[in-house]
Every structure is written in C-alpha cells, then in structure tokens.
Amino acid sequence: QSLLAVLRAGLASADADVSLLSCRLLQFVATGLQASGHGTALYSWFSWQGFSALLHTWRLHPQLHASGHILPLIPACCSDQLNDLFAVTLPRVLAGDDAYAAFVAEILPVLSEMTNYRQSFVASGAILTLLGSLLSIGMPSDVEGTHALRSRSLAFDALATVWLLFPSELQALPAVAVLSRSPDVTSSETHRDEHNRLEFMPDLTRDLNTPDREGHSSSAGGDAASQVLLVLKNGSRKSAI
C-alpha cells in the first residue's frame, strides 16, 4: 500500500517526467501483483485512489496519453474486474454521461489491441455492461437540452467504436436490455441506488425484428451487433432531420 501511495502521488505530479516514470513503475508493479494473485487488492486500490490520479494525469499531460503510457494502466490494474470498472468505478469518478461516453471511447482501442484484455472484456460481461450504459445514454429523454444532446452524440461515437473494434464478439452476443436513466438524477446518486435510477425499456430489443420500410428485418437473430447498428442508423437519421 505504501508503494502504491507513492505511485499515486507520482502519477498526479505536475512534472511530466515524474508522471512518466510513475506510469512505467505502476505497469511493472501491476503486472507483478496480478501474477502473484493480488489482483483484487490492486483493483480495490485503483478503484478508489489510482483511477482518479490516472485521470488527472491523462488531463494534465496529454503528451503521455499520446505516447500510449497512460490508458494501458487501466486494464493492467483491472484485468479481472473490467465489468466492475465500467459498471461502478467509471460512473462514480467521471462527472456525467458525456464524460463517461467520451472516456470509454478512449479505452476501447487499448482493450482491443491485446488478446488477454480483449478476452477478459468479453468473458467478464464488461462489454454487455458497457453496451447497456451507452445505449441508455443514447436514448432520447424528456429533457433534450444541449448537454443531453452532447451526451447522446458521444454515446453514439463510443457505440460506433465498439461496433468497429469488436465485430465478431458483438455478433456472438445477444441484444442487451436497454436501461433508461432518470434525467433528474446525477451520476453519483444513481450508483448508490441502482434500482431507483434504472427502468427496464424493452422497446429497442423488440425493434430489432421489426421490418423496415422495405420489409427487411433489422436483425435476423437479435444479436448485439445488429442492435448497435440499428441504434446508430436511427441516431444518424434523427440527426439529419
């Protein structure tokens, strides 16, 4: 814990060289802790302390992000807890749906590039958790202000990234239930009481097998890939109107 506390301080340093060294050391330490069976303890630290420091570094030192030193730390620290990362940690730390959608779009290429992380992303159910969140953000709400429209646009961008990077995985997965967020509940409040913030919305899943104007069904099998494509097509059509 003492070493991780030092690394956390180093990550948040205003000195880019100190942050870079801390990134490299954390990558090394995380690999060792995962290999020795301490992945759960590592994720507990990362969830409550490490991620906020990493997020600060990501914003403060864009050159380190551009060189690929920051975001790979996320799966390195969360390889066995990716589902919890997308369901709990990111929504708790990131302020709002727009920040969530924008940040996950940055993480997805990292997860897709390494086989072990890619497999964990799918096997853990994290990909379904993420799809559910993005589809929820992308749904129209009663309050369609500038902020809501920006959140929906970013959610569509992230969904397109998932669809492009994980095509075969999406085709093998069933369509997910779409959850609608209450527009007057903040992100931090929602994760304290999930049942109060989420309402099951089955309409989109039913729409997968609804024929279009030409009489073709949107999905032959109701898979996640067809569901995402349908949402992107509908979102693009509404944006053009």
Side-chain angles (χ1 to χ4, degrees):
Q1 289 293 332
S2 297
L3 175 58
L4 291 175
V6 171
L7 291 176
R8 179 181 182 276
L11 284 174
S13 173
D15 188 313
D17 291 334
V18 173
S19 292
L20 174 59
L21 179 59
S22 299
C23 287
R24 290 172 172 169
L25 288 174
L26 180 56
Q27 182 78 45
F28 176 79
V29 170
T31 301
L33 289 174
Q34 295 282 10
S36 60
H38 293 89
T40 300
L42 172 63
Y43 176 70
S44 178
W45 168 83
F46 184 81
S47 175
W48 289 100
Q49 301 182 50
F51 178 65
S52 59
L54 183 145
L55 189 62
H56 178 76
T57 305
W58 180 69
R59 292 167 173 163
L60 185 63
H61 302 299
Q63 70 274 26
L64 298 185
H65 168 51
S67 61
H69 286 96
I70 298 177
L71 294 185
L73 292 171
I74 295 177
C77 293
C78 313
S79 59
D80 294 328
Q81 288 85 17
L82 287 174
N83 190 47
D84 192 82
L85 174 75
F86 286 103
V88 179
T89 300
L90 296 189
R92 172 168 49 78
V93 178
L94 296 168
D97 291 340
D98 54 344
Y100 179 90
F103 194 77
V104 297
E106 298 282 350
I107 300 174
L108 288 168
V110 177
L111 294 175
S112 71
E113 288 168 359
M114 298 189 66
T115 301
N116 57 330
Y117 295 154
R118 188 183 189 99
Q119 292 174 344
S120 180
F121 181 51
V122 176
S124 67
I127 189 171
L128 291 176
T129 295
L130 176 59
L131 286 179
S133 296
L134 293 175
L135 289 168
S136 172
I137 296 170
M139 289 186 67
S141 68
D142 295 333
V143 183
E144 286 288 275
T146 302
H147 184 75
L149 291 174
R150 170 177 164 77
S151 296
R152 290 185 63 204
S153 177
L154 290 169
F156 291 150
D157 289 344
L159 283 168
T161 302
V162 178
W163 191 78
L164 288 171
L165 296 179
F166 299 89
S168 59
E169 289 87 351
L170 290 181
Q171 289 173 5
L173 293 171
V176 301
V178 181
L179 302 170
S180 179
R181 298 168 188 264
S182 174
D184 58 347
V185 178
T186 65
S187 178
S188 60
E189 289 172 337
T190 63
H191 283 271
R192 284 196 295 269
D193 192 346
E194 184 169 343
H195 292 290
N196 287 339
R197 81 179 178 89
L198 296 179
E199 176 183 348
F200 181 60
M201 299 285 288
D203 305 78
L204 187 58
T205 303
R206 286 203 302 266
D207 287 346
L208 287 171
N209 292 311
T210 301
D212 58 22
R213 294 178 180 177
E214 289 75 28
H216 300 106
S217 174
S218 298
S219 170
D223 59 89
S226 298
Q227 182 183 28
V228 171
L229 184 59
L230 174 64
V231 171
L232 293 175
K233 287 170 63 178
N234 287 343
S236 176
R237 186 181 303 121
K238 290 177 181 179
S239 299
I241 296 176

